[in-house]
Amino acid sequence: MAQSAGGPPRRDRRATPALILPGNDGILSRVSNSVRQSVVFHKTKRAASNTARFSKKLLWSTGKAAWIAGTTFLVLVVPLIIEMDREAQLVELEGQQASLLGAQPAGLPPPK
């Protein structure tokens, strides 16, 4: 029993007599202990731990690769796309100007 300052004594709930007495374990407790002490349990626990560690490393390296690919795309490919679009607009504008002036736009075959 624990006693709080200035109040009535409180019961300590952390330890119960059924869990403290050595020959008074229940069936669930005994089965749980025997499972925890088995070789299969330890091998399974180790395999799960290794799988989790491998998954974490794989996810970390995949994230790094995605960051590198995304940054490379932004630095190299996006300016190329913008320049190609600008060039296409320029060619289209030159074609419109040529048609307004009556000349044949470059790249088109002469009319028959």
Side-chain angles (χ1 to χ4, degrees):
M1 296 266 230
Q3 186 171 356
S4 62
R10 291 185 302 165
R11 183 174 175 211
D12 190 6
R13 293 185 180 183
R14 287 179 285 172
T16 58
L19 296 177
I20 294 174
L21 297 177
N24 199 14
D25 291 341
I27 186 74
L28 185 61
S29 176
R30 283 184 276 170
V31 170
S32 176
N33 285 337
S34 67
V35 167
R36 266 190 253 130
Q37 293 173 358
S38 72
V39 175
V40 175
F41 176 79
H42 288 289
K43 285 184 179 182
T44 305
K45 186 176 177 183
R46 187 179 313 124
S49 175
N50 290 341
T51 303
R53 189 178 313 115
F54 173 76
S55 299
K56 183 178 178 183
K57 286 181 180 181
L58 181 66
L59 187 62
W60 180 254
S61 62
T62 303
K64 285 172 138 179
W67 172 258
I68 291 170
T71 306
T72 302
F73 180 78
L74 287 175
V75 169
L76 298 177
V77 178
V78 171
L80 176 65
I81 292 171
I82 291 171
E83 188 60 34
M84 289 172 58
D85 186 42
R86 188 178 295 157
E87 182 70 25
Q89 288 177 355
L90 184 61
V91 168
E92 183 181 335
L93 181 63
E94 287 176 351
Q96 289 175 357
Q97 287 176 350
S99 68
L100 288 175
L101 296 174
Q104 183 66 28
L108 294 178
K112 292 183 180 180

